[in-house]
Amino acid sequence: MESHRWLPLEANPEVTNQFLKQLGIHPSWQFVDVYGMEPELLSMVPRPVCAILLLFPVTEKYETFRTEEEAKIKAQGQEVKPSVYFMKQTISNACGTIGLIHAIANNRDKINFETDSSLKKFLDDSMPMSPEERAKYLETYEAIRVTHESSAHEGQTEAPSIDEKVDLHFIALVNIDGNLYELDGRKPFPINHGQSSDDTFLEDAVEVCKKFMERDPDELRFNAIALAAA
């Protein structure tokens, strides 16, 4: 049972950028809204993009798909590069923060950290750990918990009570060594969605987002934000 519970974050660039600033990330990369999946709307997103956070509803259809996907990958196998930084989620409602950690951790070569960055310290400490150990470390890492809490109150909508059940979930999509990975702390491992590149990453990631939307055509609660060069 998840004993730790945080307030959920909004998929709002103002909130996520403020959060990253407080964690000691230099604003040379900033989150921006992805207003739609059509080419003309994607052309409004600044380039390059190094990560996408997708917020989506956890529905019965999705949970059925997730179980089937896991069984299929366990049976068939997949390639996951050793350089992929992945962590599990053991804290309720922490998926937004874990998505941010996944986005930053897998783009460390591009990100500039301030000298006293609490997120850089977390990443340095947790690099040698397993995905499960990273999750446990986050449970005890006060600097990120406190920042998450203040960011959860920053959104445009009132933060729900901490005990309220939230059925929206964040995942991160990143390009690592020419492969597009979906990083979701609720899953046992990263999901390799095939080849990608720095130039095509946004379009490739959007194709993955579209699959989420196609699985739940009656749902409207999808939101994507992109980590783009400022």
Side-chain angles (χ1 to χ4, degrees):
M1 187 63 203
E2 290 171 324
S3 54
H4 297 261
R5 182 178 276 272
W6 291 0
L7 284 167
L9 285 185
E10 267 187 29
N12 173 339
E14 277 181 40
V15 172
T16 45
N17 290 333
Q18 186 58 30
F19 190 4
L20 291 180
K21 187 180 172 190
Q22 288 176 305
L23 291 175
I25 307 292
H26 189 271
S28 49
W29 290 82
Q30 296 267 297
F31 276 100
V32 296
D33 282 308
V34 177
Y35 290 109
M37 306 292 170
E38 299 77 26
E40 61 273 19
L41 292 172
L42 292 180
S43 70
M44 295 163 65
V45 177
R47 310 289 176 118
V49 169
C50 70
I52 294 280
L53 289 190
L54 174 68
L55 183 70
F56 66 95
V58 176
T59 61
E60 215 169 289
K61 281 180 188 168
Y62 174 72
E63 291 294 70
T64 303
F65 167 78
R66 184 166 75 102
T67 309
E68 289 167 357
E69 178 189 54
E70 188 181 317
K72 187 177 168 189
I73 290 173
K74 281 180 175 167
Q76 295 179 357
Q78 65 168 352
E79 184 194 13
V80 175
K81 301 272 172 72
S83 52
V84 177
Y85 180 102
F86 178 65
M87 68 185 290
K88 299 283 287 168
Q89 179 180 342
T90 51
I91 304 167
S92 236
N93 297 337
C95 55
T97 291
I98 288 170
L100 286 175
I101 293 172
H102 278 144
I104 300 297
N106 290 293
N107 286 291
R108 293 183 65 159
D109 55 329
K110 303 179 182 81
I111 303 290
N112 294 315
F113 295 91
E114 307 294 355
T115 41
D116 56 349
S117 167
S118 54
L119 182 53
K120 184 176 187 302
K121 182 182 184 310
F122 177 85
L123 295 178
D124 288 345
D125 292 349
S126 63
M127 273 298 164
M129 297 179 185
S130 70
E132 292 73 21
E133 288 166 342
R134 290 166 180 164
K136 287 283 169 213
Y137 186 41
L138 183 63
E139 288 177 11
T140 64
Y141 200 83
E142 279 297 287
I144 292 181
R145 184 191 66 78
V146 170
T147 310
H148 172 106
E149 199 162 292
S150 68
S151 297
H153 288 288
E154 288 291 315
Q156 293 168 344
T157 53
E158 192 184 339
S161 95
I162 201 155
D163 297 316
E164 200 174 310
K165 185 161 171 32
V166 176
D167 63 350
L168 292 170
H169 185 60
F170 275 103
I171 57 163
L173 298 168
V174 290
N175 166 35
I176 304 162
D177 299 337
N179 281 289
L180 175 61
Y181 290 96
E182 171 192 333
L183 303 173
D184 178 351
R186 290 177 74 225
K187 294 187 175 180
F189 34 67
I191 309 292
N192 186 337
H193 284 285
Q195 289 185 324
S196 187
S197 70
D198 289 344
D199 292 338
T200 64
F201 169 70
L202 177 59
E203 284 73 18
D204 297 337
V206 159
E207 288 307 312
V208 175
C209 296
K210 283 180 183 171
K211 287 178 187 163
F212 277 79
M213 297 164 84
E214 285 159 9
R215 280 192 288 271
D216 257 310
D218 301 330
E219 269 289 353
L220 298 172
R221 297 176 299 162
F222 292 91
N223 197 351
I225 55 176
L227 186 56

